[in-house]
Amino acid sequence: MITNPGFLVRSDRFSMNDDTVYLLNGWLRPDSTLHAFVDGKPFPMDVEVMTGNSDERYGGCETSAVLRFGSEIESLNSLKIYAESDLGRKLSFEISGRELREKRGAIRYFIDDYTVNPKENLFRLTGWAVAKEPVEIRVYEASGNRLDGVCERYKRLDTVELFDEYPVEEYNGFNIEIRPIPKGGVRVRLHAGLFETILSYPTSMTGFMAKRAGQLLGKAADALKYNGPEALWVKTYNKLFNPAMRRVNYSDWIKKHLPSDRVLALQSKEDFAMSPLISIVVPCFRTPEKYLRELVNSVKGQSYGKWELILSDGSGPDSPIRGILKELEESDERIRVISHKEQKGISENTNAAIAAAGGSWIAFADHDDILVKSALYEAVKLINERGDTEVIYTDEDKIGTGDQLLQPNMKPDWDPDFLNSVNYICHLLFVKKSTLDGVRFTDGDGRTCWLDPAYDGAQDHDLLLRLSERTERIAHIPKVLYHWRFFEGSTAADPESKTWAFEAGKRAVQAHYDRLGWPAEVCEGEYPGLYRTIWKWEEKPMVSVIIPNKDHIDDLKKCLHSMAEHVKWPSFEILVIENNSTEESTFTAYSEMEEDPLIRVIHYEGPFNYSAINNFGAREAKGEYLLLLNNDTEFITDAMTLMMGYAMRPDVGAVGARLYYGDDTIQHAGAIIGWGGVAGHAFVNQKRGETGYQHRIICQQDMSAVTAACMMVRKEVFDRVGGFTEELAVAFNDIDLCMKIRKEGYLIIYEPYAELYHYESKSRGLENTPEKKSRFGKELTFFRKRWPEILRDGDPYYSPNLSMITQDFSLKHI
C-alpha cells in the first residue's frame, strides 16, 4: 500500500452548466480534511469522499471538491488547496487567478497519446475535446498548410460520463494520423463558438522527446511541490507499475506462480499424515505421440510420488498408439495400460480405467493435456488440511501454438448454480473413490458405470452434477495446476464444432433438476456451452414491492409505469414508503397513485435511514416475498417473475438483478466482497451486450451479495435475520443483509435475465457534509468489525488470483 501524504489532484475544471462552479477530483489521504484559501483567506468548499476505502494504487480515497465563486473570481490572484492530517497541513494544489479565469467557458480537452514514429513515418495524436458547442478540429503543418482527411472523430462515452452535468457531444474523441511526418511540426486548432485553442507539437525526434520530457517533469515538479518526494514516487509508481495503467501479461504472471525446482524438491520430501494413492485415469483415442508423451512426462515429474497412471486406449484393434503405450508402460512401474478390442466412447473408456484403479482418490485428466508438477502435491496437502473433503478441483489455463500458456481460468469456489449454467470446473478434478462409488450404476448390459455414456461429450458435467447431489464437501484449489491443450479442431479452440456435446450438457442439467424434483426447464444460453434455467413453479405467492421515496415523483412514476408494462406476475402489491417529502406535487401524485388498488402509500416519519425505512415497509407488507426496489429504477424485462423463479427455491434467501446505467453500461452484475475495502459491483461500466470474464455477466450463479436497489427476498428469511441492520443507515446495509442471509445457510442468486435501468443515487444527496462523512465512517467501521472473516479470507465467489483494484476480473498484479 502506498501512503498518500496529502491530496493528489487528478483533474480540475469548471462546470459546463455554471462557470462559477469549480470542480476538483483526486485522492485524499485517509483521516484528512481539505481547506481552500483565496488570496490567503479561507474560502468555502464542499468536499465529498466518494468512498471511505483507501485505493491501494494511490494511498487515498477518491474525493471531489466543489468551490462556488462569485464576483471575486474576476480579481483574485491565487487559489490554494491544503490537506490537513496528523502529518500537518500540506499544500496540495495551487492555481493563479489568471489560469483559473482562462478555464471558464474554455474548450476542455485531454491528450491520450502523442507519438512520433520515424520507423513507420507516422505522427499520431489522440484524445478528446468538449465544449458547450460542438468542437471543430483542424490540423495544419507548421508552414500553415491545412491537412485534410487526417482527423477521425469517434464516440467517447467515458467523456460523456465525466461531464454528467451537461450533454456534451458523444463524438468528442479524435485520432489524428499523418503520413509522412510533416517537417517543422503540427498545429491543431480546436474551435467552438467564441473559443479557440491552438495546440502545437514538434515532429522531430529531438522536439518530441523534449516535449514529452517537459510534460513529465512538470507533473513530477507538481507532485514534489505539493506533496513531497513520496507523492512523486506515487506518480512514478503508477505510471510504471499501476495495475490500472496496464493489464497483466499472463506469461509473466504464470512464470512467477509455477513452483521452482527448489520448491518442488521440498514438496517431494514432505511427510503427510495421510498419503493416499492417487489413480490418474486417462482415456486415450488415437492421441498424437507428442501430446501423449508430454502428458506422461508431466505425471512422472510430479513432486508427490504416490500415484498410478492408468491409460485406457479406446482406439480399437488397429490403434496407432499401442506401441507407444507399451513403451510408456515399461518406462515406469506406476503406469498401466488397458487396451480394448473395440473402439469405445469416452465414458466407457474412462470407466474401464476407474474399474482398474487401486487408489483411494481418482484424478481425471485428458490424453493430450499437461499437469503442473505440483498438482498432486497440492491436492494431497488440501486432503490433509481438510480431511472431510470428497471432491477437489483446480484452476487451469490453455496451451496454444508454440506451447504458449494463455486464457487462465481462475474459478470461484463451489458454486452449484454456476455449474448449472456452465461446466466451469472441468479439470483438474479429484474425487474420493468411495464418493465416486456412491454414484456408480449398472447399465442395461450389466456393466458398472461411473460416467454415463448417455452424456458423452458432457460426461464430466453430468458426473459433477450427480456428485453434487451426494456431497457438498467440494473444495477448490485456487492455483493453475492443469494446462488444457488448445489446438485447431479441439473443443477449446472451436466450441461450435461440438454442438452435440453442448446438447448433452443441457440434458445433463435437466436430468439433475429432475432428480432433485425441481420444476425447471433448461434452455440454451447465449453462447454454446452456456445454459439458462427457467423455473415453472405452479404456486404464485404474493410479492410486496417496497419503494422508499422522497419527492422525485418523475423517477417514481417511470418506475411504476415500467412495472405496469413488463411485470406479468399475477399477485403483488406496491408499497411506496413516503419519507419527508416537501413538494406539494408529490402528495398530489400520491393521491392519484392510490387510485390503483395495487398501490399503498405509507408514511415513515423518521429521518432518512434506508434500513429503518425498508424494515418499516416490510412490517406493513402482506406478501410472502419482498421486492426491495429503488425509486430510480426502470424495468426492462419481467424481472419480478424471473427473480421469483429462484426466490421460491427452498435453499435460496435472496435474488439480485442485472442493472444498467442510463448509458447502457453495467451498474450491477452481482457484488464482490473486498473490493474497495468492503464491497463493489462486478463489471461496472462494461457495455451492455458484453459477457465478462467466464461469461459471468450473463450466467445465473451464486454470489456473496447483491444490491438492494433491486433485491427479491423471502419475507420469512428477512424476518429471521432481523431485516436490515438499522445502524447502517445508508452504506453497506444491503451487503450486510446478504451476509446475514448467507450465515443462515441460504444462497444469494444473481439472475442476469432480470434486467433494469438504475439511475443511481438520484434520490439521495452526496456525502459532502461533516455529519454525513462522520456517519459514513461509522458505518464503514461497523461493517468491517462485524464481518472480519470474509474481508480477511476473501469472497468465495471471486478468485484470489484476480485484482482487488479493478472490477473487470483482470489478473492481480504481484
Side-chain angles (χ1 to χ4, degrees), residues 395-409:
D395 292 344
E396 66 190 42
D397 60 18
K398 294 187 176 67
I399 311 175
T401 304
D403 290 339
Q404 179 185 5
L405 299 179
L406 66 162
Q407 296 184 17
N409 186 6

Side-chain angles (χ1 to χ4, degrees), residues 748-773:
I748 308 293
I749 302 288
Y750 163 61
E751 169 54 281
Y753 296 98
E755 298 175 85
L756 301 89
Y757 285 114
H758 181 203
Y759 307 105
E760 187 178 23
S761 296
K762 288 184 179 180
S763 56
R764 185 171 63 85
L766 301 174
E767 313 297 337
N768 55 3
T769 67
E771 179 182 356
K772 289 182 178 179
K773 287 189 287 185

Side-chain angles (χ1 to χ4, degrees), residues 106-109 136 188-192 195-199:
I107 299 170
R108 283 77 160 175
Y109 70 91
E136 179 188 26
V188 179
R189 176 179 177 266
L190 309 178
H191 178 82
F195 296 97
E196 182 174 272
T197 299
I198 304 296
L199 310 176

Side-chain angles (χ1 to χ4, degrees), residues 210-265:
K211 188 174 181 71
R212 290 290 297 270
Q215 292 170 339
L216 293 174
L217 287 172
K219 293 178 180 179
D222 285 346
L224 190 63
K225 171 184 177 181
Y226 295 136
N227 287 310
E230 190 168 6
L232 177 57
W233 162 240
V234 169
K235 284 186 173 289
T236 304
Y237 173 89
N238 284 323
K239 190 69 175 176
L240 296 176
F241 308 112
N242 182 355
M245 303 296 182
R246 61 182 176 87
R247 296 186 71 84
V248 180
N249 181 286
Y250 180 62
S251 295
D252 295 337
W253 189 95
I254 192 63
K255 287 175 185 176
K256 295 178 181 178
H257 283 76
L258 292 176
S260 65
D261 290 340
R262 177 178 174 275
V263 169
L264 290 169

